[in-house]
Amino acid sequence: MAASILTVNAGSSSLKFALFDTADALQVTVRGEIEDIEEAPHLVARDAAGNVLTERRWPIGEAHPFATALHAVLDFADGH
């Protein structure tokens, strides 16, 4: 199993993240973000070539605290 480093940049309404491969000189293997966390969260993660690896939308108007967004990113990173 390859080891990776997860970086997270939390903003007021978004959460951006990246996975770096520790076996390949810390090359970025995945970049993603969750936009509009408070209103209509949308998660998208892409590989280094820009291909979509996962995409998820939550229902508009339901409360989605920051912890929910972070949990979604951690679940993706763990499974990836």
Side-chain angles (χ1 to χ4, degrees):
M1 178 187 341
S4 295
I5 296 172
L6 172 66
T7 61
V8 177
N9 179 356
S12 61
S13 65
S14 68
L15 190 149
K16 295 178 180 145
F17 62 95
L19 286 172
F20 294 83
D21 184 351
T22 59
D24 191 14
L26 295 179
Q27 293 296 311
V28 176
T29 58
V30 175
R31 288 188 191 274
E33 68 181 312
I34 299 180
E35 299 176 312
D36 203 12
I37 291 173
E38 295 296 324
E39 297 294 322
H42 174 224
L43 163 70
V44 64
R46 299 176 189 276
D47 65 15
N51 300 308
V52 174
L53 299 172
T54 191
E55 188 167 8
R56 178 177 175 190
R57 292 182 186 271
W58 285 265
I60 295 172
E62 290 184 13
H64 298 286
F66 177 80
T68 301
L70 182 58
H71 193 326
V73 169
L74 293 174
D75 283 347
F76 168 77
D78 191 41
H80 184 72

